[in-house]
Amino acid sequence: MTNEFSKAMDFRHACKVFDDTKTISDEDMKFILEAGRKSPSSFGMEAWKFLVITNEDLKAKLKPACWDQIQMTSCSHLVIVLAGIDSVKVATGIPKQRFERTGMPAEQLEFYLGMYAGHLDNVLSSDENIYSWTVRQTYIATGNMMTAAAFIGIDSCPIEGFDKGAVEKILNLDTSKFQLATVLPFGYRLNEQSTQYREAFEDIVEFVK
Ligand SMILES: Cc1cc2nc3c(=O)[nH]c(=O)nc-3n(C[C@H](O)[C@H](O)[C@H](O)COP(=O)(O)O)c2cc1C
């Protein structure tokens, strides 16, 4: 079946070089970022943040910390996807706020908070475990942003080829609050799209009876 969504899935590829003469409009960038903001997250915690960088000097400074990949400086907008660390801790009051905004009654709120803390006992026991839990969720937002971009003819490349500590240092991140998840440049392709290599449908999908 071919429709607008499947066309976007075919259009998206890990773009290696962007046309640095082309700039994404504010309106299109907002459309892409909204797809990230509206993404699902465990318990609705939204433990993420998206830094949007257009400053050429800063892009150039970050490039060596990202394996010198050309996408870093040829892109129009560089989005740095961060995983939230302290915001998911009960003591910050943020999990309570997240539950509260749904308008649930006080006794249900207490129940939910207790369930949250109990279920995530191990996750919340260290910043390292929190990172590994929240970073997984940022990938959903990252995927949605890439597909949203492809839907409107904009290219992207998810980048994990980086020195995490070096990028966090350049960005002056307080890593007790946010840590680097993914580097996500957006722009317009300079070259033809690469071939999409995928395993056969039957090899990766199993209908269990
Ligand atoms: C988590 C993650 C990290 C990746 N890191 C890089 C990267 O650092 N540099 C790069 O050029 N591509 C990177 N890629 C892109 C993959 O290599 C690419 O998606 C895969 O080879 C399939 O190709 P396609 O996306 O063009 O279909 C990454 C992809 C993912 C999902």
Side-chain angles (χ1 to χ4, degrees):
M1 183 166 68
T2 305
N3 53 36
E4 293 309 310
F5 184 80
S6 59
K7 278 187 210 157
M9 293 300 283
D10 288 339
F11 177 89
R12 193 217 58 79
H13 68 295
C15 182
K16 305 295 178 192
V17 192
F18 297 99
D19 182 342
D20 62 10
T21 65
K22 293 184 180 164
T23 305
I24 300 171
S25 70
D26 290 347
E27 189 191 355
D28 284 352
M29 213 48 225
K30 178 101 194 298
F31 174 80
I32 294 167
L33 292 160
E34 279 290 14
R37 187 177 73 90
K38 290 185 177 170
S39 296
S41 59
S42 185
F43 287 98
M45 282 302 119
E46 299 174 54
W48 48 47
K49 190 164 181 173
F50 313 125
L51 305 179
V52 185
I53 298 172
T54 51
N55 180 301
E56 299 302 332
D57 291 340
L58 185 52
K59 284 194 221 166
K61 218 169 154 191
L62 286 164
K63 190 170 168 246
C66 298
W67 297 2
D68 257 323
Q69 299 187 64
I70 191 81
Q71 301 94 314
M72 296 294 296
T73 44
S74 60
C75 69
S76 163
H77 287 63
L78 186 64
V79 174
I80 308 285
V81 181
L82 303 178
I85 305 296
D86 72 334
S87 64
V88 298
K89 295 176 183 169
V90 176
T92 63
I94 295 173
K96 187 165 179 245
Q97 282 171 24
R98 297 281 197 259
F99 292 136
E100 241 164 6
R101 66 187 172 171
T102 64
M104 66 171 71
E107 45 309 342
Q108 206 181 341
L109 185 66
E110 285 313 310
F111 169 78
Y112 257 85
L113 264 178
M115 193 180 73
Y116 173 83
H119 177 69
L120 296 173
D121 188 31
N122 183 45
V123 165
L124 300 174
S125 66
S126 72
D127 283 7
E128 204 183 353
N129 288 354
I130 290 175
Y131 174 74
S132 118
W133 180 59
T134 54
V135 79
R136 291 203 299 269
Q137 296 164 53
T138 67
Y139 286 117
I140 301 171
T142 298
N144 283 339
M145 286 194 274
M146 290 192 292
T147 309
F151 195 81
I152 55 172
I154 292 173
D155 291 296
S156 61
C157 182
I159 290 185
E160 225 178 31
F162 49 61
D163 176 335
K164 180 172 176 282
V167 173
E168 290 171 343
K169 200 162 171 214
I170 293 165
L171 294 172
N172 276 323
L173 292 183
D174 176 350
T175 53
S176 70
K177 290 192 164 59
F178 287 101
Q179 292 186 21
L180 177 63
T182 312
V183 173
L184 188 55
F186 290 98
Y188 295 92
R189 66 189 66 180
L190 187 65
N191 303 316
E192 281 291 294
Q193 170 167 8
S194 49
T195 309
Q196 199 175 54
Y197 296 105
R198 293 295 185 272
E199 296 302 301
F201 187 90
E202 312 74 63
D203 292 341
I204 57 136
V205 180
E206 185 178 341
F207 294 94
V208 181
K209 290 180 186 139

